[in-house]
Amino acid sequence: PPIVISIDTAGTVYVNQNAAKDSSANLLALVQQESKGDHERRIHLRADQALSYGKVVGTMGVLNDAGYARIALVSEAAK
C-alpha cells in the first residue's frame, strides 16, 4: 500500500498518521521507516485546501530530493 502523507490546516505534516514534528529531517525519517528504504514506494500526498501551494510543493520537493519520485496528489470529491 502507498505511504499517506497528510498536511493539516496548521501545516502539520503526518506520515501514516504520525506527526513529523515540523522538520524535513523528521519527515524523511518517518518516510524512510515506512518505506523500509524502498524509494520506489508510492506516496499519496493529501493537503487541506486552505493550505498555501508553497507548503504542498515544498513537501513534494523534500521527498523528491530524497529520491522519492512516485508521489501523487490525492483529492477528495466535492461534497
Side-chain angles (χ1 to χ4, degrees):
I3 296 167
V4 177
I5 297 178
S6 305
I7 311 173
D8 68 14
T9 54
T12 304
V13 179
Y14 297 87
V15 178
N16 288 344
Q17 301 181 349
N18 298 308
K21 305 290 184 212
D22 297 328
S23 83
S24 297
N26 287 333
L27 168 62
L28 292 176
L30 286 171
V31 171
Q32 177 75 13
Q33 178 182 328
E34 292 292 328
S35 70
K36 296 178 178 51
D38 179 6
H39 286 82
E40 294 300 313
R41 183 90 177 266
R42 286 176 295 137
I43 296 175
H44 288 179
L45 179 59
R46 298 174 181 267
D48 190 278
Q49 74 180 42
L51 210 60
S52 76
Y53 180 73
K55 177 68 175 176
V56 177
V57 172
T59 301
M60 289 179 72
V62 166
L63 294 165
N64 201 281
D65 289 347
Y68 295 94
R70 298 185 69 192
I71 305 166
L73 292 174
V74 178
S75 63
E76 293 182 12
K79 294 177 182 175

